[in-house]
PDB file of all heavy atoms in Angstrom:
ATOM      1  N   ARG A 218     -29.526 -15.752  21.142  1.00  0.00           N
ATOM      2  CA  ARG A 218     -28.653 -14.901  21.966  1.00  0.00           C
ATOM      3  C   ARG A 218     -29.462 -14.061  22.951  1.00  0.00           C
ATOM      4  O   ARG A 218     -29.045 -13.847  24.086  1.00  0.00           O
ATOM      5  CB  ARG A 218     -27.780 -14.023  21.075  1.00  0.00           C
ATOM      6  CG  ARG A 218     -26.658 -14.816  20.443  1.00  0.00           C
ATOM      7  CD  ARG A 218     -25.787 -13.962  19.550  1.00  0.00           C
ATOM      8  NE  ARG A 218     -24.652 -14.739  19.078  1.00  0.00           N
ATOM      9  CZ  ARG A 218     -23.946 -14.434  17.989  1.00  0.00           C
ATOM     10  NH1 ARG A 218     -24.260 -13.355  17.287  1.00  0.00           N
ATOM     11  NH2 ARG A 218     -22.935 -15.196  17.627  1.00  0.00           N
ATOM     12  N   LEU A 219     -30.620 -13.602  22.502  1.00  0.00           N
ATOM     13  CA  LEU A 219     -31.483 -12.852  23.421  1.00  0.00           C
ATOM     14  C   LEU A 219     -31.871 -13.745  24.593  1.00  0.00           C
ATOM     15  O   LEU A 219     -31.826 -13.341  25.760  1.00  0.00           O
ATOM     16  CB  LEU A 219     -32.738 -12.364  22.686  1.00  0.00           C
ATOM     17  CG  LEU A 219     -32.527 -11.267  21.631  1.00  0.00           C
ATOM     18  CD1 LEU A 219     -33.807 -11.066  20.820  1.00  0.00           C
ATOM     19  CD2 LEU A 219     -32.109  -9.955  22.292  1.00  0.00           C
ATOM     20  N   GLU A 220     -32.207 -14.998  24.298  1.00  0.00           N
ATOM     21  CA  GLU A 220     -32.606 -15.935  25.352  1.00  0.00           C
ATOM     22  C   GLU A 220     -31.461 -16.203  26.329  1.00  0.00           C
ATOM     23  O   GLU A 220     -31.646 -16.202  27.547  1.00  0.00           O
ATOM     24  CB  GLU A 220     -33.082 -17.256  24.731  1.00  0.00           C
ATOM     25  CG  GLU A 220     -34.439 -17.130  24.039  1.00  0.00           C
ATOM     26  CD  GLU A 220     -34.739 -18.290  23.082  1.00  0.00           C
ATOM     27  OE1 GLU A 220     -33.858 -19.153  22.850  1.00  0.00           O
ATOM     28  OE2 GLU A 220     -35.867 -18.313  22.545  1.00  0.00           O
ATOM     29  N   LEU A 221     -30.251 -16.405  25.789  1.00  0.00           N
ATOM     30  CA  LEU A 221     -29.099 -16.704  26.655  1.00  0.00           C
ATOM     31  C   LEU A 221     -28.706 -15.493  27.491  1.00  0.00           C
ATOM     32  O   LEU A 221     -28.357 -15.619  28.661  1.00  0.00           O
ATOM     33  CB  LEU A 221     -27.918 -17.183  25.802  1.00  0.00           C
ATOM     34  CG  LEU A 221     -28.120 -18.541  25.123  1.00  0.00           C
ATOM     35  CD1 LEU A 221     -27.059 -18.774  24.054  1.00  0.00           C
ATOM     36  CD2 LEU A 221     -28.100 -19.667  26.146  1.00  0.00           C
ATOM     37  N   ALA A 222     -28.790 -14.297  26.894  1.00  0.00           N
ATOM     38  CA  ALA A 222     -28.464 -13.076  27.644  1.00  0.00           C
ATOM     39  C   ALA A 222     -29.478 -12.872  28.770  1.00  0.00           C
ATOM     40  O   ALA A 222     -29.125 -12.502  29.891  1.00  0.00           O
ATOM     41  CB  ALA A 222     -28.455 -11.870  26.707  1.00  0.00           C
ATOM     42  N   ALA A 223     -30.731 -13.164  28.480  1.00  0.00           N
ATOM     43  CA  ALA A 223     -31.784 -13.028  29.500  1.00  0.00           C
ATOM     44  C   ALA A 223     -31.564 -14.055  30.605  1.00  0.00           C
ATOM     45  O   ALA A 223     -31.591 -13.738  31.791  1.00  0.00           O
ATOM     46  CB  ALA A 223     -33.156 -13.219  28.864  1.00  0.00           C
ATOM     47  N   GLU A 224     -31.267 -15.282  30.211  1.00  0.00           N
ATOM     48  CA  GLU A 224     -31.054 -16.368  31.173  1.00  0.00           C
ATOM     49  C   GLU A 224     -29.855 -16.083  32.077  1.00  0.00           C
ATOM     50  O   GLU A 224     -29.886 -16.368  33.278  1.00  0.00           O
ATOM     51  CB  GLU A 224     -30.837 -17.674  30.400  1.00  0.00           C
ATOM     52  CG  GLU A 224     -30.723 -18.900  31.277  1.00  0.00           C
ATOM     53  CD  GLU A 224     -30.430 -20.161  30.452  1.00  0.00           C
ATOM     54  OE1 GLU A 224     -30.683 -20.163  29.222  1.00  0.00           O
ATOM     55  OE2 GLU A 224     -29.921 -21.137  31.042  1.00  0.00           O
ATOM     56  N   GLY A 225     -28.794 -15.485  31.516  1.00  0.00           N
ATOM     57  CA  GLY A 225     -27.579 -15.218  32.284  1.00  0.00           C
ATOM     58  C   GLY A 225     -27.625 -13.930  33.091  1.00  0.00           C
ATOM     59  O   GLY A 225     -26.622 -13.537  33.673  1.00  0.00           O
ATOM     60  N   ASP A 226     -28.783 -13.279  33.097  1.00  0.00           N
ATOM     61  CA  ASP A 226     -28.943 -12.008  33.810  1.00  0.00           C
ATOM     62  C   ASP A 226     -27.921 -10.959  33.372  1.00  0.00           C
ATOM     63  O   ASP A 226     -27.483 -10.118  34.167  1.00  0.00           O
ATOM     64  CB  ASP A 226     -28.873 -12.226  35.335  1.00  0.00           C
ATOM     65  CG  ASP A 226     -29.559 -11.095  36.101  1.00  0.00           C
ATOM     66  OD1 ASP A 226     -30.552 -10.533  35.576  1.00  0.00           O
ATOM     67  OD2 ASP A 226     -29.091 -10.748  37.209  1.00  0.00           O
ATOM     68  N   PHE A 227     -27.519 -11.014  32.095  1.00  0.00           N
ATOM     69  CA  PHE A 227     -26.653  -9.978  31.548  1.00  0.00           C
ATOM     70  C   PHE A 227     -27.466  -8.694  31.352  1.00  0.00           C
ATOM     71  O   PHE A 227     -28.585  -8.743  30.838  1.00  0.00           O
ATOM     72  CB  PHE A 227     -26.140 -10.371  30.164  1.00  0.00           C
ATOM     73  CG  PHE A 227     -25.056 -11.410  30.123  1.00  0.00           C
ATOM     74  CD1 PHE A 227     -25.359 -12.757  29.947  1.00  0.00           C
ATOM     75  CD2 PHE A 227     -23.722 -11.041  30.244  1.00  0.00           C
ATOM     76  CE1 PHE A 227     -24.352 -13.718  29.884  1.00  0.00           C
ATOM     77  CE2 PHE A 227     -22.709 -11.994  30.179  1.00  0.00           C
ATOM     78  CZ  PHE A 227     -23.028 -13.329  30.004  1.00  0.00           C
ATOM     79  N   VAL A 228     -26.914  -7.535  31.749  1.00  0.00           N
ATOM     80  CA  VAL A 228     -27.485  -6.288  31.257  1.00  0.00           C
ATOM     81  C   VAL A 228     -27.359  -6.423  29.739  1.00  0.00           C
ATOM     82  O   VAL A 228     -26.351  -6.941  29.242  1.00  0.00           O
ATOM     83  CB  VAL A 228     -26.671  -5.067  31.751  1.00  0.00           C
ATOM     84  CG1 VAL A 228     -27.212  -3.786  31.117  1.00  0.00           C
ATOM     85  CG2 VAL A 228     -26.706  -4.982  33.272  1.00  0.00           C
ATOM     86  N   THR A 229     -28.372  -6.043  28.979  1.00  0.00           N
ATOM     87  CA  THR A 229     -28.344  -6.304  27.545  1.00  0.00           C
ATOM     88  C   THR A 229     -28.571  -5.038  26.731  1.00  0.00           C
ATOM     89  O   THR A 229     -29.553  -4.329  26.930  1.00  0.00           O
ATOM     90  CB  THR A 229     -29.402  -7.367  27.180  1.00  0.00           C
ATOM     91  OG1 THR A 229     -29.170  -8.535  27.979  1.00  0.00           O
ATOM     92  CG2 THR A 229     -29.308  -7.744  25.698  1.00  0.00           C
ATOM     93  N   VAL A 230     -27.603  -4.761  25.843  1.00  0.00           N
ATOM     94  CA  VAL A 230     -27.667  -3.586  24.988  1.00  0.00           C
ATOM     95  C   VAL A 230     -28.093  -4.034  23.595  1.00  0.00           C
ATOM     96  O   VAL A 230     -27.478  -4.942  23.030  1.00  0.00           O
ATOM     97  CB  VAL A 230     -26.295  -2.885  24.890  1.00  0.00           C
ATOM     98  CG1 VAL A 230     -26.413  -1.580  24.109  1.00  0.00           C
ATOM     99  CG2 VAL A 230     -25.713  -2.633  26.285  1.00  0.00           C
ATOM    100  N   LEU A 231     -29.139  -3.413  23.068  1.00  0.00           N
ATOM    101  CA  LEU A 231     -29.618  -3.769  21.731  1.00  0.00           C
ATOM    102  C   LEU A 231     -29.309  -2.658  20.742  1.00  0.00           C
ATOM    103  O   LEU A 231     -29.702  -1.510  20.936  1.00  0.00           O
ATOM    104  CB  LEU A 231     -31.122  -4.044  21.756  1.00  0.00           C
ATOM    105  CG  LEU A 231     -31.579  -5.165  22.701  1.00  0.00           C
ATOM    106  CD1 LEU A 231     -33.093  -5.345  22.606  1.00  0.00           C
ATOM    107  CD2 LEU A 231     -30.866  -6.472  22.373  1.00  0.00           C
ATOM    108  N   TYR A 232     -28.547  -3.014  19.683  1.00  0.00           N
ATOM    109  CA  TYR A 232     -28.258  -2.085  18.587  1.00  0.00           C
ATOM    110  C   TYR A 232     -29.219  -2.400  17.443  1.00  0.00           C
ATOM    111  O   TYR A 232     -29.720  -3.524  17.341  1.00  0.00           O
ATOM    112  CB  TYR A 232     -26.819  -2.289  18.073  1.00  0.00           C
ATOM    113  CG  TYR A 232     -25.714  -1.663  18.898  1.00  0.00           C
ATOM    114  CD1 TYR A 232     -25.589  -1.914  20.258  1.00  0.00           C
ATOM    115  CD2 TYR A 232     -24.768  -0.835  18.303  1.00  0.00           C
ATOM    116  CE1 TYR A 232     -24.549  -1.357  20.993  1.00  0.00           C
ATOM    117  CE2 TYR A 232     -23.714  -0.279  19.029  1.00  0.00           C
ATOM    118  CZ  TYR A 232     -23.625  -0.545  20.380  1.00  0.00           C
ATOM    119  OH  TYR A 232     -22.578  -0.002  21.103  1.00  0.00           O
TER     120      TYR A 232
END
Side-chain angles (χ1 to χ4, degrees):
Chain A
R218 285 180 174 159
L219 291 170
E220 288 163 354
L221 293 167
E224 185 183 340
D226 202 32
F227 285 95
V228 175
T229 305
V230 186
L231 301 181
Y232 281 54

